[in-house]
Amino acid sequence: MGVLTTVFAFLLVLGPLVVIHELGHYLVGRFFGVKADAFSVGFGKELAGWTDRRGTRWKLCALPLGGYVQFAGDMNPASASDAGASEAPAEQRGQMFQFKPLWQRALIVFAGPLTNLLLCVAIFAAFTMAYGNRVVEPVIADFAENSVAQEAGLKVGDRITSIDGETVGDVQDLERYILLHPEGRVPVGLEREGRDMTLPVEIAAREIDDGFGKTARIGDLGVSFDQPIVAGFTSDSAAKDAGFEVGDRISGIEGQDVTSFHDVIDLVQPRAGETLRFTVERDGAELDMPVTVRAAMRPGADGAEESVGMIGVEARVGRLVPVGPVAAVGIGFARSFDMLDDMVTGLRQIIFGERSVKELGGPIKIAQASGQQFSLGWENFVAFAAFISINLAFINLLPIPGLDGGHLAFYAAEWVRRKPLDGRSQEWAIRTGVVFLLALMVFVTVNDIVSLPIFGG
């Protein structure tokens, strides 16, 4: 993947998200009658721009790592108030940000992160409406080798209902918890043959590769939920010729119970040329269907071609449920808030030393990931944009002076004190916050650089 492609993908992600964020501030400010002196995408030297009839300077700047709206009365892009603004004529003060009521200022500041959140919701809702909502029942179909769940006493057919006290509605709920908690002993609630029980399980940690040379440490239970449901057929499919249909669930082969597609593979591959009796569940009925297994050639463990049995079916994990607009928006909000919750958990783990600071990513890692997702197609790229958008919302809501969350903290203090902090205190707080943010930016950038392959990362 070329450097130009990576840079292009990075700008294609970050540019629109910055514009959307700042448009949130700008539009709500304009609604409340606040004049914007500048709307900038990027920082530093202006590369191009124009001034509209309201006197707002719209500009593109050299450093494309953010942006800002500078309202009338702001001393700088960090929205520090200009001490001389109070001497301006009353008509001008009416257009200045700092002279607006507290609730209006809070809404203007909050509008930026909120817009990023709503964009993430919109993307998830659109995907859900277009493709349906995939629901995977948390019923164990199989175990991996050396599965910690199997060692703890869980069995095929158990339905996991909770983990560490958190309710598990589907596999996504379970995976969210497990992925973020490598190692640790947790109680797992389950339902077995109509009985509720709880077993303690020691979560295992493992390293995964994203396919682009990057690894991550995640938790693992060693369980599989891939129910043997037919999702489609290959060309020259023996199962299709025998009368199988999409949605059929294979429950048995030659009298042996089948709980996962691993079972199907294990029972079919050694039986090329034989006619096997399949038990299939369809619309609540159980059918017996004979299938003559066809032979196919594939590379063996030693690299030589070998003949294996195939019936020509494609697996499906879970079921797709059609979703209407209202339900899709609800799912979009749920998934967005789940991501926010995951970010809070991850940040807490880094702060308390449960995760390495190497997992923090800066602009270089974001650029790399942008290029990688761009190479995988527009669906992956748009989903990645949703992830970055919710990250921008989260980061900007942190109570650090200089960020939106810092300004909201000032307004909370003003609401409690019934008067604002003095200008000097706010100015020094913002300067300190900006220094902290710059130091953090330098740290994550260095962290990104040392993780590059040329440095052995």
Side-chain angles (χ1 to χ4, degrees), residues 217-457:
R217 186 168 175 268
I218 63 170
D220 185 25
L221 285 182
V223 297
S224 171
F225 302 97
D226 64 330
Q227 302 293 326
I229 300 173
V230 177
F233 302 99
T234 62
S235 59
D236 193 30
S237 168
K240 186 175 183 180
D241 291 345
F244 278 55
E245 297 179 2
V246 172
D248 287 349
R249 186 185 189 280
I250 302 172
S251 58
I253 300 176
E254 288 294 314
Q256 297 188 49
D257 290 340
V258 169
T259 59
S260 72
F261 261 104
H262 291 294
D263 294 338
V264 177
I265 293 170
D266 290 342
L267 292 170
V268 168
Q269 282 192 348
R271 313 286 287 275
E274 298 183 30
T275 298
L276 304 180
R277 180 173 55 86
F278 283 71
T279 304
V280 174
E281 296 175 4
R282 181 188 299 167
D283 298 328
E286 195 171 87
L287 309 174
D288 281 331
M289 306 183 71
V291 180
T292 299
V293 180
R294 293 173 180 166
M297 301 302 294
R298 73 168 189 184
D302 58 357
E305 292 286 311
E306 64 178 6
S307 176
V308 296
M310 304 280 286
I311 61 171
V313 296
E314 296 174 352
R316 181 180 76 191
V317 179
R319 67 184 191 278
L320 283 175
V321 179
V323 175
V326 175
V329 171
I331 292 171
F333 271 105
R335 291 182 179 172
S336 298
F337 284 121
D338 283 345
M339 290 178 70
L340 281 173
D341 184 58
D342 292 346
M343 291 171 197
V344 172
T345 299
L347 182 60
R348 177 187 60 78
Q349 291 175 337
I350 289 174
I351 291 173
F352 288 98
E354 298 171 22
R355 284 186 177 273
S356 170
V357 293
K358 293 181 179 179
E359 296 190 27
L360 286 173
I364 295 177
K365 282 187 179 178
I366 295 174
Q368 286 180 308
S370 300
Q372 291 162 2
Q373 297 303 317
F374 185 77
S375 71
L376 294 175
W378 73 269
E379 292 175 343
N380 293 77
F381 187 67
V382 173
F384 177 72
F387 171 74
I388 297 299
S389 187
I390 201 75
N391 267 271
L392 286 175
F394 172 71
I395 291 170
N396 273 280
L397 285 175
L398 294 175
I400 300 173
L403 295 178
D404 295 332
H407 291 291
L408 292 173
F410 287 153
Y411 302 150
E414 180 177 341
W415 180 75
V416 171
R417 299 172 73 244
R418 303 298 179 185
K419 63 178 181 179
L421 297 173
D422 64 272
R424 186 173 179 80
S425 298
Q426 290 192 45
E427 181 181 344
W428 276 105
I430 290 174
R431 287 182 178 181
T432 303
V434 169
V435 169
F436 172 78
L437 291 173
L438 289 174
L440 180 62
M441 179 65 72
V442 170
F443 173 80
V444 295
T445 301
V446 172
N447 194 32
D448 288 354
I449 292 173
V450 298
S451 69
L452 293 173
I454 60 173
F455 292 100

Side-chain angles (χ1 to χ4, degrees), residues 158-231:
D158 286 349
R159 181 186 184 91
I160 298 177
T161 56
S162 67
I163 183 164
D164 199 20
E166 297 185 13
T167 301
V168 173
D170 62 15
V171 169
Q172 189 178 54
D173 295 333
L174 180 66
E175 288 179 343
R176 283 186 55 241
Y177 183 93
I178 295 298
L179 293 177
L180 284 170
H181 296 83
E183 300 181 323
R185 193 174 181 84
V186 295
V188 175
L190 57 96
E191 182 182 298
R192 178 184 296 170
E193 298 177 351
R195 294 183 296 112
D196 293 328
M197 56 194 304
T198 301
L199 294 175
V201 179
E202 189 76 30
I203 300 176
R206 67 184 177 94
E207 297 284 332
I208 61 169
D209 193 309
D210 65 358
F212 295 96
K214 300 297 181 183
T215 59
R217 186 168 175 268
I218 63 170
D220 185 25
L221 285 182
V223 297
S224 171
F225 302 97
D226 64 330
Q227 302 293 326
I229 300 173
V230 177

